[in-house]
Amino acid sequence: MPQLNNTSPYIYYIGKIHKNYTEYVNKTLKEYNVNFGDIPYLYYLLEHDNITQENLAKTLKYNQATVTRAIRRLEKKGFIQRKQDLHDKRKKIIHLTNNGLKITKEAIKKQQQVEQEIIEQFTEDETKITLNTLKKFLEKIEEK
């Protein structure tokens, strides 16, 4: 293990995994004009189309400014559309376009292949233990 200079090994490894995984996913999904930051929005909209921007932010636990930037970026790419809520003119309803739906499904397949490439190097027990440990780690962090 590298010298961590009083840094928690958990922070070190989680940070390195996130950085390297993000770079790998970005490289893999480049052909679809999708990056790592787009994924949570596209995946959620695939399952929950026609959601307000406010509800999307609450669900994904992102602040409004972050969601607004992402929505604008995805709209420019032609992956989503915003429409005015018929009941409340202040709200915008977000949904995937046909192109967004197609790209999201292709990106999911590609990302699943990426994960499978990594996971297949571990035993089934190692995979289960790792996933359970990560879930517990997340639960404890979210409790704080």
Side-chain angles (χ1 to χ4, degrees), residues 27-49:
K27 184 174 71 174
T28 303
L29 298 180
K30 188 175 184 174
E31 67 184 285
Y32 304 109
N33 195 24
V34 173
N35 64 47
F36 188 82
D38 298 335
I39 292 170
Y41 301 97
L42 295 173
Y43 287 14
Y44 192 80
L45 288 168
L46 183 64
E47 298 294 324
H48 305 90
D49 208 20

Side-chain angles (χ1 to χ4, degrees), residues 68-124:
T68 298
R69 283 190 301 274
I71 295 303
R72 284 184 184 145
R73 183 178 65 247
L74 292 169
E75 200 170 27
K76 282 182 183 177
K77 291 179 179 185
F79 296 159
I80 64 165
Q81 277 187 327
R82 287 187 285 180
K83 294 182 181 177
Q84 202 151 18
D85 187 318
L86 298 176
H87 306 292
D88 185 343
K89 301 294 182 193
R90 297 169 295 174
K91 292 183 179 180
K92 299 285 185 183
I93 303 295
I94 303 164
H95 71 93
L96 288 172
T97 62
N98 289 338
N99 186 46
L101 181 63
K102 177 182 171 235
I103 292 295
T104 301
K105 287 181 178 180
E106 291 174 13
I108 286 172
K109 283 182 193 174
K110 197 70 158 177
Q111 188 181 11
Q112 287 172 339
Q113 290 171 352
V114 166
E115 286 185 12
Q116 190 57 41
E117 286 174 27
I118 295 166
I119 291 169
E120 69 188 14
Q121 298 174 37
F122 300 99
T123 66
E124 188 175 334

Side-chain angles (χ1 to χ4, degrees), residues 1-9 12:
M1 180 161 70
Q3 178 62 31
L4 300 179
N5 298 327
N6 298 323
T7 302
S8 162
Y12 175 80

